[in-house]
Amino acid sequence: MYAVVGMANLAPERMDEIVEMADSQVIPLLKSQAGHVASCFTRNAYGTNGMSISVFVTKEQAEASAASMNTPPRVPVSIENVEVREVIASG
C-alpha cells in the first residue's frame, strides 16, 4: 500500500468551514478514487497547520491521487507539500 501525505496551512478562524469542506467534498472525492483504502485529516493544536493521509492499494493509484490535489481560490486551506510514501506497517 501507498500513502499520499499532504501538508497544508490552515486559516484557524475558518476551521468550521474547513471541517465542512473536508466532510462534504474532499472525503467523498477521495473515496471515489480507484484503490482508496482510508483517509484522515489532522491539525496542530493552533489550527494553523494540517496534515492529510490517504492510503491507496498501489503506488500508481496514490500518485494519481496526489497529482489531483489542489485547492480552489479563496478557500481557507493552502497546500504546501504532497508526497507519496510506501506504507511499511499499519494496524
Side-chain angles (χ1 to χ4, degrees):
M1 289 189 295
Y2 289 81
V4 178
V5 179
M7 299 295 293
N9 291 323
L10 308 176
E13 69 280 1
R14 296 174 65 187
M15 192 55 62
D16 289 344
E17 185 181 347
I18 293 168
V19 172
E20 169 62 26
M21 186 173 62
D23 284 338
S24 68
Q25 297 174 33
V26 181
I27 293 290
L29 175 66
L30 288 166
K31 285 181 160 184
S32 74
Q33 293 179 342
H36 179 263
V37 176
S39 290
C40 65
F41 293 84
T42 67
R43 66 178 182 188
N44 67 358
Y46 305 104
T48 57
N49 181 270
M51 177 188 288
S52 65
I53 303 168
S54 298
V55 178
F56 292 86
V57 175
T58 70
K59 183 178 182 181
E60 294 75 21
Q61 292 163 336
E63 289 172 339
S65 179
S68 73
M69 287 182 68
N70 61 49
T71 52
R74 295 179 296 284
V75 297
V77 176
S78 172
I79 296 173
E80 295 301 313
N81 186 49
V82 177
E83 58 184 306
V84 174
R85 296 177 171 223
E86 184 175 8
V87 176
I88 58 170
S90 66

